[in-house]
Amino acid sequence: QAQLVESGGGLVQAGGSLRLSCAASGRTFPIMGWFRQAPGKEREFVAAIRWSSGVTTYTDAVKGRFTISRDAAKNKLYLQMNNLKPEDTAVYYCAVDAVSTMIFTTAAKYDYWGQGTQVTVSS
């Protein structure tokens, strides 16, 4: 079992930055990631990281702007979001894949989810 708590969302102007955090309780997990869901749209993959190696994967829409990282000592996951665009507006969710050894980008592969944090980017 896992409890994930996100923080760091908010309202920012286009071009601005935010850093999301996700605190995971219980234990470490092999894969942790971020998804987002905009109103009327399906939940989509943003980025993920292999906890042991630090290998990362990003969706094309955020490459070069977002950076996923982890702090193993604190068991925390981060998403640094720079040069934000209005189309980045969504609820952002932290998620963990408790069994895989490779990164998947489909939400169905992830076992535990946080409650979500709202990110709103104004134009």
Side-chain angles (χ1 to χ4, degrees), residues 28-105:
T28 58
F29 297 91
I31 307 292
M32 292 190 72
W34 292 96
F35 286 75
R36 66 187 180 186
Q37 188 166 19
K41 295 187 177 182
E42 292 188 354
R43 192 168 297 189
E44 65 172 354
F45 174 82
V46 175
I49 187 167
R50 289 184 63 181
W51 198 261
S52 59
S53 65
V55 170
T56 59
T57 298
Y58 297 90
T59 190
D60 287 345
V62 308
K63 283 180 180 177
R65 300 189 298 122
F66 291 11
T67 302
I68 188 171
S69 62
R70 85 278 194 235
D71 184 327
K74 297 180 179 179
N75 210 25
K76 294 187 79 170
L77 180 73
Y78 302 99
L79 185 68
Q80 177 67 43
M81 305 185 294
N82 298 327
N83 191 22
L84 282 159
K85 303 176 180 181
E87 52 264 42
D88 295 318
T89 295
V91 177
Y92 283 70
Y93 297 90
C94 174
V96 302
D97 180 341
V99 298
S100 300
T101 57
M102 61 179 290
I103 292 174
F104 292 95
T105 60

